[in-house]
Amino acid sequence: RYSTRGSGSGFAGIYNEGTSLIIYSGDIQTTRAGYSHAIYHNGGVLEVNGGTFMGNGNEVINANSSVATINAGTFTKDPNGKTSYLLAGSKMTILGGTFNAHTSNPAGHPVRPDVIVKGGTFNYEHTNIADGYKIVYNGNDTWTVVAE
């Protein structure tokens, strides 16, 4: 089931409950004040291969026995967002993409060991870099994760 869903203060551009979801492209934005997400993924497998995702809270949530792989896409946290722009409750691997946070604490939560980074460009120095990879400063307030 894929749908826009909201109740109370939580809303999502895409809400996926317990099934596999592969996203190839799209422009998903949630601008509602409060705890809003571009993608809320609850169970199953999530694979993102492209698209633009912006929300007022967490951009991708992977929870309840889920596995997520981010291969590409642009993920931007709305400047008014109150929580992290990326959160994984089970296991998430970032292989590529561009991640833009707009707070002094871009993750918004303690570094989570279940998010493994093997690629991507970030506007902050990410710390969950996988073994065999390193983060390189690009000189323009961005960092890219590359193989050693």
Side-chain angles (χ1 to χ4, degrees):
R1 160 179 82 173
Y2 313 129
S3 65
T4 300
R5 180 175 174 154
S7 63
S9 62
F11 291 84
I14 296 175
Y15 180 91
N16 185 39
E17 182 79 40
T19 62
S20 294
L21 174 63
I22 299 173
I23 300 171
Y24 293 99
S25 65
D27 184 1
I28 308 297
Q29 298 185 30
T30 57
T31 56
R32 180 178 168 84
Y35 201 65
S36 298
H37 321 286
I39 302 168
Y40 184 93
H41 184 74
N42 189 24
V45 176
L46 172 66
E47 181 179 324
V48 180
N49 295 309
T52 302
F53 307 92
M54 182 176 178
N56 222 10
N58 295 346
E59 298 311 307
V60 176
I61 294 181
N62 176 18
N64 298 330
S65 300
S66 297
V67 175
T69 302
I70 310 299
N71 293 308
T74 300
F75 302 86
T76 302
K77 181 179 175 290
D78 185 293
N80 298 316
K82 296 182 174 104
T83 61
S84 71
Y85 79 99
L86 180 65
L87 174 65
S90 294
K91 180 180 178 188
M92 179 177 289
T93 302
I94 300 173
L95 301 173
T98 301
F99 299 84
N100 302 302
H102 294 285
T103 67
S104 59
N105 179 10
H109 293 283
V111 174
R112 301 178 59 93
D114 49 1
V115 177
I116 303 299
V117 182
K118 296 182 177 181
T121 300
F122 301 82
N123 71 341
Y124 66 97
E125 191 170 2
H126 205 291
T127 58
N128 274 26
I129 309 304
D131 290 340
Y133 293 83
K134 64 182 179 179
I135 192 159
V136 177
Y137 181 64
N138 298 322
N140 59 355
D141 292 329
T142 64
W143 288 259
T144 299
V145 176
V146 297
E148 290 186 319

